[in-house]
Amino acid sequence: ADDDLARSIPQADAVSLHGVWSWVPPLVRQGIVRLLAQKVAPGGMVHLSYNSLPAWQGALGMQRVLREVGVRLPARSDHQAASGFKFLQELSAAGAQHLSQQPLAGRLLTRIEQMPVNYLAHEYMNDHWQPCFHGDVVDALAGAKLDWVASAQLTENFPELMLNDAQRALYERFDDRRMRELVKDMCLDRPLRHDVFVRGARPLSFRERDMALMQLTLGLTMRPEDFEYEAQMPVGKATLEEPFYRPVVAALAERPRQVGELLELPGGGKRDNPAELVGMLVGLERAIPMLRPGLPPTAEATRLNQVIAERLSTRLENLGRMTALACGATGGGVTTGMIESVAAWRMQLGEGAERLDEWVIALAAALPPEAQQAVRAALQRAVAEQLPMLRKIGVLD
């Protein structure tokens, strides 16, 4: 925060720290706060992810054992992590109480088996790894004049979706938002928090908020045939009332539209809550906010998408993974699959679907014939189903 390089960094309107805060020592956290204090512009936003308590408390022992076993091996950290994980498996098979009876530890042990060892090394072989309570992170960032405003995962900001009636009654006893978040964290299995902070946040009235949301433009990120009107939440299934949402989905399938326009559509249910409409559609990843609706694909975004697709598609293990496409109209990334990214890249190069067999060879020549057929079918679906939606929100021309 105090050297010449840091001083040369311009002020920022948006900052994101992912996989940083819980993994660095206290002195580095203090430096991060000083850097944010110097560089985040008034009104600027900071996204910060961190391993959170109390959800992580059930796996503290697991991480400690993995690391302590690993560091006793004179080898690189990825080999150390693999050695520590093998010992944890043996300890779990022997009935170790803090592995077999802790749900988070059990889930992590199952997931770790599919994780790359370099990720394990980052996540668990760390001298200073420390999960944090939300309130302690809020206190720390107050030193940079940053105010906590919300969870970046929109549905988490709706207590009626997160908490049952008894839990919500206890939550609502408090006006203090930090205390409410502590109650929520006690009730939820939320080991990783994504929080949003603003430099000098100015709360809006409900009327001001609704007026701002009415002017927000949304774009649909899936075909209307694939739209699901139910979603699993901590309190059970949340249902999006079809008489209300079906006309909204049909309108968005035609083109991106403002929230105010969507609320004026004929249909069942009260259409007076823009926060719920945005929270459900965006929070459930059915739609995406459009920062610059109507903007055609920029040259910079197109080049970035081509580079990402070209480089990631050289590794077979990436074919089934999720990635994102840059989009000037949304002002960010649009989540998509690797297959869709490759199809978009090829189409942007001016190639048509008649060259599908060439795409398959380029992607999957090393795979057996039946796997190549599966890749071909996925590319056909991408061209016929996903790419038209990406065109409508401005990812492709």
Side-chain angles (χ1 to χ4, degrees), residues 12-34:
D13 294 314
V15 175
S16 180
L17 296 91
H18 180 54
V20 178
W21 189 261
S22 298
W23 294 267
V24 295
L27 279 175
V28 175
R29 291 187 195 175
Q30 293 166 21
I32 288 171
V33 172
R34 291 200 303 276

Side-chain angles (χ1 to χ4, degrees), residues 236-281:
K237 277 189 178 177
T239 301
L240 304 181
E241 297 180 11
E242 290 197 42
F244 177 92
Y245 280 96
R246 193 171 286 280
V248 170
V249 174
L252 288 174
E254 295 174 0
R255 59 175 173 82
R257 296 176 189 262
Q258 284 192 334
V259 171
E261 186 181 352
L262 296 173
L263 291 176
E264 291 175 358
L265 293 170
K270 290 177 65 177
R271 294 185 177 273
D272 60 357
N273 192 340
E276 179 185 331
L277 179 70
V278 174
M280 293 299 97
L281 290 179

Side-chain angles (χ1 to χ4, degrees), residues 293-307:
L295 181 75
T298 63
E300 295 85 355
T302 299
R303 283 201 303 271
L304 176 59
N305 291 338
Q306 289 174 353
V307 169

Side-chain angles (χ1 to χ4, degrees), residues 174-364:
F174 301 94
D175 292 329
D176 183 282
R177 298 176 70 230
R178 280 181 45 171
M179 186 63 205
R180 284 186 164 196
E181 284 301 298
L182 179 58
V183 172
K184 195 189 289 182
D185 281 339
M186 288 295 294
C187 297
L188 296 177
D189 182 13
R190 183 161 53 166
L192 181 70
R193 285 189 63 118
H194 288 269
D195 284 339
V196 176
F197 297 80
V198 170
R199 184 100 184 252
R202 292 180 296 176
L204 299 174
S205 68
F206 287 133
R207 183 173 179 276
E208 290 171 321
R209 180 202 66 183
D210 287 352
M211 288 179 64
L213 288 174
M214 296 279 269
Q215 297 173 49
L216 181 68
T217 298
L218 299 180
L220 197 65
T221 56
M222 59 179 57
R223 298 188 310 154
E225 305 95 296
D226 299 328
F227 193 95
E228 295 181 2
Y229 292 87
E230 287 186 339
Q232 191 63 42
M233 292 289 159
V235 294
K237 277 189 178 177
T239 301
L240 304 181
E241 297 180 11
E242 290 197 42
F244 177 92
Y245 280 96
R246 193 171 286 280
V248 170
V249 174
L252 288 174
E254 295 174 0
R255 59 175 173 82
R257 296 176 189 262
Q258 284 192 334
V259 171
E261 186 181 352
L262 296 173
L263 291 176
E264 291 175 358
L265 293 170
K270 290 177 65 177
R271 294 185 177 273
D272 60 357
N273 192 340
E276 179 185 331
L277 179 70
V278 174
M280 293 299 97
L281 290 179
V282 178
L284 297 176
E285 299 182 353
R286 312 289 202 261
I288 191 168
M290 307 289 292
L291 183 66
R292 305 179 190 91
L295 181 75
T298 63
E300 295 85 355
T302 299
R303 283 201 303 271
L304 176 59
N305 291 338
Q306 289 174 353
V307 169
I308 290 172
E310 187 173 12
R311 294 197 181 173
L312 293 185
S313 64
T314 60
R315 299 176 67 92
L316 286 175
E317 64 267 26
N318 289 332
L319 283 182
R321 291 183 176 167
M322 300 303 292
T323 181
L325 292 170
C327 177
T330 68
V334 177
T335 304
T336 186
M338 192 65 238
I339 291 284
E340 289 78 19
S341 292
V342 169
W345 162 46
R346 293 288 189 166
M347 298 288 270
Q348 288 292 89
L349 290 177
E351 299 178 11
E354 70 278 358
R355 299 182 65 175
L356 206 74
D357 289 333
E358 295 176 35
W359 303 357
V360 174
I361 292 170
L363 281 171

